[in-house]
Amino acid sequence: MEEILRINGISKRYDDITVLDHVSLSIKSGEVVVIVGPSGCGKSTLLRCVNSLENIQEGEILLNGESVNPGNKKPAALRQKIGMVFQSYELFPHKTVLQNLTLAPLKVKKTGRKEAEEEGLKLLERVGLLSRKDNYPSQLSGGQKQRVAIMRALMMHPEVLLLDEITAALDPEMVREVLEVVLSLAKEGRTMLIVTHELQFARAVADRMVFIDGGRIVEEGTPEEFFEHPRTERLRKFLHSFSYGE
Amino acid sequence: MGFEVLWKGNNMLRLLEGLWAALRISLISVAVSLVLGLALGILVSLKLRAVQVLSRIWLEIVRIMPQMVLLFLVYFGASRVLGLNISAETSALIVFSFWGTAEMSDLVRGSLAAIPKIQYESSYSLGFDPLQTYLYVIIPQIVRRMIPLSINLITRMIKTTSLVMMIGIVEVLKVGQQIIEANRKSSPNAAFGVYLTVFVLYFLACWPISRLSKYLEKKWEN
Amino acid sequence: MDPEVLKSYLPRYAEAFLLTIKIGWLGIALAFVIGMLSAFVIHFRIPVLKRIAGYYVELFRNTPLLVQLFFIYFGLPKVGIVISAEACGVLGLGLLGGSYMSETFRSGLEAIPAAQKESALSLGMSRGQVFREIILPEALTISVPAIAANVIFLLKETSVFSAISLMDLMFTAKDLIGLYYDTTEALFMLVLFYTIMLLPVSILGSIAEKTVRGKMPGQ
């Protein structure tokens, strides 16, 4: 498999607080990389940097060999190739479900309305929300909103999909319906970079696990090594904090 | 430019007295509105049908009737229909309190509705009776929300007091008019300077108060 | 109340009513434009203009319309700026309303969560598209209740126009009371016409509020 996304020694600082400290990561096409770490460790910031929603002070991020760093003249063009789904769904409240899906293709890609709507309906059907196409976001449950948000990102045919704690705001009974969608995306070979707290899910979906602490990558490896034979004390402690009564 | 008349005799002092008349009417009305509004708001929350309908109508009247029309109704109407002779200042106090009470009561009603039922329940579970619950738990929570609005209401009332000159109360604008009239010959351009000064005086009266209201609103947001 | 008197008053009130709503709605339209411009300038922190807009908003929100009108109508001619009574009414209402609308639009713009903008950007939209398609419609949606309240407030404020000798509803009422002492009839017609002017707006406002509920961000 060939490399699609390359993060090359990036650092991110707010004033004198270092959030990311020379982080490097390479992601191959079709690979699912899951990033875990304690809250505030910089994992979400890393995703935001990849989508150039944050400035970085050092290093660079390359998509297919092309820099996506802010300051780049065409962040919009590059962002089309990188989809992102947020913890808080961020559906557009004044648009219906279907309009949420078709807005970017219509305005950004200038896709024809019929074509965009057909694709939108197909994606909605796939996640079982076809009947909700004319509802407004406020009429949906959290799990439904998040499934729509994932499909909205897919409408732009991104080469890489970034998922930022997409189940963190959901009630427990809705987590599964969203994670199943992500699992099915992994099966079709989508390239994804996922930040999550759901370790069980991470293990099921990941090709590779990355543990970030204090703005640095502390450990990475296959799910098997990562969960069964953590090499560092910090990862052992982190994993342990999730396991009650074992 | 006509500023010179302001320094003639006690003209500036008269303007300030006019402003004080406006402030006085506003402050008294707000005080009355606070008390009556709290009482009415609680009454409405008790969900008595008649009270609710009455307060709905009251609110809608205040919502759509210009204060100027209300002033005319009380000042001209009361003497004609009820045979009462109500002074202009009393008319203004009645109208402003009528308006303020409606707004306050609606705020109290809204605040009471926003207080979760569990607040009452936990208060009862501590042994408070319903009256004590209101006094010690519920009302302190809503008073806090009433204060920024009361302050905001003061500024709106100060601004509205400019209308009372139309029913003959001598407030700033009226004093200004009188000064311009009296100096028509010597300072034909007095209108510019005097009205600009009145404009600035109103601003100086309202601006600090509205800043305070904004500040408190932010501070007590939760 | 004497129906004959009411009938004889009707044409004068109708004429005054038309004048009042004409100036009222023109002023509101002007207020919308001024408010929008001022809010943009403040929201996008355009240097110098942002300052001016900020002073303007504070100045006009904290002074009464009547005083503004007196200054424009009686004061400005003394320095050579003469404006007709009607234009003065529109201008005064527009300036007053603009300061309120500015605050309304500005807080609407501020209320949009940053993540809404980010999610639109992450779909590849340009900044212009994000503003047109996402921020502006959402800000207007959030502002609907406040805009409705402003419109009602401004229509009520038209009641001071008589002070600059515009023959509006208040002027007519006062005039008729002074002339014929049919106070009851004159006041009845006054209330009637203000109700006709404002009740539909009040009802439409509530309907609009219900329609936009559910299309607000953060739900």
Side-chain angles (χ1 to χ4, degrees):
Chain A
M1 283 190 289
E2 59 187 283
E3 179 184 81
I4 184 164
L5 183 72
R6 178 172 198 89
I7 299 167
N8 238 347
I10 65 163
S11 295
K12 164 84 193 162
R13 283 182 285 272
Y14 296 105
D15 298 323
D16 49 357
I17 303 160
T18 303
V19 187
L20 292 174
D21 186 8
H22 297 96
V23 172
S24 293
L25 197 60
S26 162
I27 291 145
K28 295 193 202 68
S29 180
E31 197 179 16
V32 178
V33 176
V34 176
I35 305 172
V36 296
S39 42
C41 71
K43 54 194 192 301
S44 283
T45 310
L46 180 63
L47 288 200
R48 294 169 58 83
C49 290
V50 172
N51 213 8
S52 63
L53 293 170
E54 303 278 351
N55 288 313
I56 52 178
Q57 279 78 34
E58 259 179 273
E60 61 177 349
I61 298 166
L62 303 167
L63 180 72
N64 290 322
E66 209 183 332
S67 171
V68 302
N69 292 13
N72 183 310
K73 295 286 179 300
K74 305 170 289 185
L78 275 157
R79 282 196 189 112
Q80 292 177 41
K81 299 183 189 164
I82 305 175
M84 182 156 177
V85 183
F86 296 77
Q87 175 179 338
S88 46
Y89 338 121
E90 300 306 331
L91 296 182
F92 305 131
H94 59 302
K95 304 267 183 201
T96 64
V97 166
L98 186 58
Q99 286 167 345
N100 260 280
L101 263 60
T102 55
L103 182 69
L106 290 178
K107 298 289 169 186
V108 180
K109 282 197 163 169
K110 314 284 179 203
T111 313
R113 178 171 297 277
K114 197 160 162 267
E115 198 185 323
E117 283 183 354
E118 268 170 19
E119 187 179 359
L121 292 174
K122 218 159 47 187
L123 288 178
L124 285 177
E125 186 167 21
R126 170 178 176 173
V127 292
L129 290 172
L130 193 54
S131 62
R132 297 298 206 148
K133 68 183 167 65
D134 295 322
N135 285 139
Y136 282 93
S138 61
Q139 297 163 307
L140 303 184
S141 73
Q144 291 171 329
K145 280 188 232 187
Q146 198 56 293
R147 281 183 279 161
V148 173
I150 297 170
M151 293 306 119
R152 182 176 71 178
L154 289 186
M155 289 290 288
M156 295 301 285
H157 307 284
E159 296 177 28
V160 179
L161 198 55
L162 311 173
L163 307 180
D164 186 9
E165 309 235 22
I166 58 168
T167 58
L170 293 177
D171 290 334
E173 71 268 22
M174 291 172 183
V175 170
R176 171 168 280 273
E177 66 189 50
V178 171
L179 293 185
E180 269 166 9
V181 172
V182 180
L183 271 170
S184 78
L185 293 178
K187 278 203 193 103
E188 2 170 290
R190 297 245 172 213
T191 314
M192 291 191 278
L193 193 52
I194 301 174
V195 165
T196 185
H197 277 117
E198 303 278 339
L199 292 187
Q200 293 232 4
F201 161 72
R203 195 168 181 172
V205 78
D207 294 317
R208 185 150 51 103
M209 294 293 305
V210 174
F211 175 59
I212 294 187
D213 193 7
R216 286 165 166 272
I217 294 183
V218 176
E219 187 166 340
E220 58 176 302
T222 64
E224 161 93 76
E225 301 165 354
F226 192 88
F227 288 104
E228 301 303 334
H229 311 287
R231 294 189 303 272
T232 58
E233 182 58 31
R234 265 149 97 188
L235 177 55
R236 258 194 295 274
K237 263 197 184 148
F238 175 75
L239 292 175
H240 187 70
S241 68
F242 280 84
S243 54
Y244 268 113
E246 272 179 29
Chain B
M1 298 257 267
F3 289 106
E4 65 283 354
V5 291
L6 294 168
W7 312 117
K8 263 202 211 154
N10 54 1
N11 280 352
M12 195 65 195
L13 194 70
R14 284 175 61 207
L15 274 181
L16 290 175
E17 273 170 9
L19 189 65
W20 171 239
L23 282 170
R24 197 178 53 223
I25 292 175
S26 311
L27 290 174
I28 296 174
S29 306
V30 169
V32 173
S33 307
L34 263 172
V35 178
L36 293 184
L38 188 60
L40 180 65
I42 292 174
L43 219 57
V44 171
S45 310
L46 298 179
K47 308 217 154 97
L48 304 167
R49 194 82 198 110
V51 180
Q52 279 183 321
V53 171
L54 209 72
S55 91
R56 235 2 295 152
I57 296 171
W58 185 342
L59 265 170
E60 196 56 23
I61 291 174
V62 168
R63 197 167 129 90
I64 69 169
M65 271 304 135
Q67 283 88 355
M68 191 75 182
V69 173
L70 298 178
L71 278 173
F72 266 46
L73 282 181
V74 174
Y75 186 64
F76 294 112
S79 61
R80 173 52 55 120
V81 179
L82 307 173
L84 290 171
N85 214 339
I86 300 178
S87 76
E89 180 148 351
T90 312
S91 306
L93 285 173
I94 292 173
V95 167
F96 283 27
S97 303
F98 179 80
W99 157 29
T101 301
E103 284 204 10
M104 285 292 175
S105 73
D106 198 42
L107 182 80
V108 171
R109 184 200 53 75
S111 312
L112 281 173
I115 289 178
K117 216 172 133 215
I118 192 105
Q119 283 278 322
Y120 293 87
E121 291 167 349
S122 62
S123 167
Y124 296 149
S125 78
L126 287 170
F128 288 117
D129 64 33
L131 185 66
Q132 289 171 323
T133 302
Y134 264 104
L135 278 180
Y136 301 124
V137 182
I138 307 302
I139 291 179
Q141 292 186 46
I142 56 176
V143 162
R144 204 174 225 221
R145 303 178 60 162
M146 287 171 72
I147 288 171
L149 181 87
S150 325
I151 297 172
N152 173 281
L153 194 61
I154 294 176
T155 69
R156 283 185 293 141
M157 283 186 175
I158 294 174
K159 284 185 282 175
T160 310
T161 51
S162 61
L163 303 183
V164 301
M165 70 164 283
M166 312 265 277
I167 56 167
I169 295 180
V170 181
E171 48 65 76
V172 213
L173 204 51
K174 191 77 202 169
V175 175
Q177 231 176 14
Q178 290 169 349
I179 294 174
I180 294 164
E181 284 296 317
N183 297 281
R184 172 145 297 202
K185 292 246 168 56
S186 58
S187 308
N189 289 336
F192 182 84
V194 172
Y195 287 141
L196 186 61
T197 307
V198 172
F199 186 85
V200 171
L201 281 179
Y202 264 108
F203 177 75
L204 291 178
C206 293
W207 187 68
I209 307 178
S210 71
R211 289 302 293 234
L212 178 67
S213 148
K214 254 190 200 160
Y215 167 78
L216 290 179
E217 219 170 309
K218 272 227 178 86
K219 195 174 151 194
W220 291 343
E221 211 149 348
N222 318 312
Chain C
M1 254 187 294
D2 186 343
E4 279 308 307
V5 176
L6 290 180
K7 224 170 114 189
S8 70
Y9 282 179
L10 191 61
R12 282 201 59 182
Y13 273 98
E15 204 178 316
F17 175 73
L18 290 178
L19 180 79
T20 309
I21 53 173
K22 185 179 89 182
I23 299 179
W25 283 105
L26 280 175
I28 288 168
L30 181 63
F32 217 84
V33 175
I34 296 178
M36 197 73 104
L37 289 175
S38 159
F40 286 170
V41 162
I42 295 173
H43 182 73
F44 290 111
R45 303 203 172 82
I46 296 170
V48 187
L49 290 180
K50 168 195 87 176
R51 272 274 171 82
I52 297 172
Y55 292 142
Y56 152 70
V57 169
E58 289 295 331
L59 206 56
F60 278 80
R61 275 181 71 93
N62 287 297
T63 44
L65 177 61
L66 191 58
V67 176
Q68 296 164 9
L69 288 177
F70 265 53
F71 178 67
I72 300 173
Y73 190 68
F74 298 112
L76 286 184
K78 305 295 180 193
V79 292
I81 305 168
V82 184
I83 302 170
S84 77
E86 284 193 24
C88 180
V90 174
L91 182 65
L93 201 63
L95 285 170
L96 172 79
S99 68
Y100 280 81
M101 292 290 188
S102 172
E103 283 288 277
T104 299
F105 295 142
R106 190 187 54 79
S107 56
L109 288 169
E110 272 174 15
I112 315 287
Q116 278 281 305
K117 192 173 121 193
E118 290 173 353
S119 71
L121 285 173
S122 79
L123 287 167
M125 294 172 132
S126 68
R127 285 186 183 276
Q129 282 173 328
V130 174
F131 189 75
R132 272 198 314 280
E133 300 290 336
I134 309 299
I135 310 289
L136 192 59
E138 284 185 28
L140 285 174
T141 309
I142 296 177
S143 306
V144 163
I147 292 172
N150 284 350
V151 167
I152 291 170
F153 162 70
L154 291 171
L155 284 176
K156 284 161 73 178
E157 286 287 300
T158 59
S159 63
V160 306
F161 285 161
S162 60
I164 53 167
S165 57
L166 279 169
M167 296 209 244
D168 71 342
L169 289 169
M170 292 311 302
F171 186 97
T172 307
K174 201 172 183 182
D175 201 32
L176 290 173
I177 291 172
L179 280 176
Y180 307 113
Y181 295 103
D182 289 321
T183 313
T184 321
E185 286 82 359
L187 290 176
F188 175 77
M189 295 294 267
L190 180 68
V191 170
L192 180 70
F193 273 96
Y194 265 108
T195 309
I196 294 173
M197 183 156 110
L198 279 145
L199 195 58
V201 180
S202 170
I203 293 169
L204 278 178
S206 319
I207 294 173
E209 246 170 79
K210 286 205 185 88
T211 330
V212 299
R213 209 171 289 160
K215 295 180 197 173
M216 305 265 190
Q219 290 185 327

